[in-house]
Amino acid sequence: MNTANKITMVRIAMIPLFLVVLYLDFPFNRYVALAVFIVASCSDFLDGYIARHYNMVTDFGKFMDPLADKVLVMAAMTMLVSWGQMPAWVLLVVILREFAVTALRLVAVEGGRVIAAAWSGKIKTATTMVCICLMLLPISEMLNLLCWAAILLTTIYSGVEYFVKNKDVIDWTDM
């Protein structure tokens, strides 16, 4: 296992740690969880950089890295929903976008085409991670609303962009 994949595995191991810290009731648990979330989020950028820069890209990494990101974000957003800081329908939109884009990529691969990550997807990921960090802090109701609205808007925009740019992947006349 190369360095990039080891970093991905550490990120995966940090997800249960993040959740346990949030569930435990001790002073400053949200700040400790925030630190874990920040380290896990930054490791996403680090393992990607290492994999590309040092030619360590593997099939394992291509599969596990985005899966780790999605599980980390979904775990955090699920906690935010359970605390009443985010409506459940926002989480549902995020989950639907992830399934839809993944399905689009699978159909494209069947046709011999690879759909690379779009910049809007990277912006969505960065926006989501920053907003989750803010929402783990004691912030105003208005800032909380702006955070989940930003997550929602970047999620919808990037999802629509994937389908518009790759509309030829699906034969819509088959319906």
Side-chain angles (χ1 to χ4, degrees), residues 41-62:
S41 297
C42 290
S43 75
D44 175 33
F45 300 106
L46 179 63
D47 67 10
Y49 172 79
I50 290 171
R52 286 184 297 278
H53 188 73
Y54 295 103
N55 198 26
M56 293 182 179
V57 175
T58 64
D59 288 338
F60 176 84
K62 287 179 195 177

Side-chain angles (χ1 to χ4, degrees), residues 134-172:
L134 290 172
M135 293 171 80
L136 288 170
L137 296 170
I139 58 174
S140 71
E141 203 56 41
M142 180 55 74
L143 184 53
N144 191 66
L145 171 72
L146 290 173
C147 282
W148 65 255
I151 291 170
L152 183 65
L153 291 174
T154 56
T155 296
I156 292 170
Y157 179 84
S158 68
V160 168
E161 183 185 48
Y162 272 102
F163 278 87
V164 168
K165 285 187 173 181
N166 299 287
K167 62 182 173 269
D168 59 310
V169 169
I170 297 173
D171 182 6
W172 298 100

Side-chain angles (χ1 to χ4, degrees), residues 20-21 23 54 70 79 116 132:
V20 166
V21 169
Y23 275 111
Y54 295 103
K70 287 169 183 37
M79 287 301 297
I132 289 171

Side-chain angles (χ1 to χ4, degrees), residues 10-119:
V10 168
R11 182 164 66 258
I12 290 168
M14 292 177 84
I15 296 167
L17 173 64
F18 169 72
L19 289 172
V20 166
V21 169
L22 286 176
Y23 275 111
L24 295 177
D25 187 23
F26 64 91
F28 309 112
N29 70 320
R30 279 197 180 201
Y31 295 102
V32 174
L34 173 62
V36 172
F37 187 85
I38 289 171
V39 170
S41 297
C42 290
S43 75
D44 175 33
F45 300 106
L46 179 63
D47 67 10
Y49 172 79
I50 290 171
R52 286 184 297 278
H53 188 73
Y54 295 103
N55 198 26
M56 293 182 179
V57 175
T58 64
D59 288 338
F60 176 84
K62 287 179 195 177
F63 175 73
M64 290 305 292
D65 180 64
L67 181 62
D69 299 340
K70 287 169 183 37
V71 173
L72 175 65
V73 167
M74 297 305 159
M77 290 178 72
T78 300
M79 287 301 297
L80 293 170
V81 167
S82 74
W83 294 336
Q85 282 185 250
M86 178 184 290
W89 63 266
V90 173
L91 175 57
L92 180 62
V93 169
V94 172
I95 291 169
L96 288 173
R97 182 256 183 221
E98 296 303 335
F99 278 123
V101 170
T102 299
L104 179 67
R105 284 186 164 139
L106 289 172
V107 171
V109 165
E110 273 187 20
R113 182 163 149 192
V114 174
I115 298 176
W119 274 106

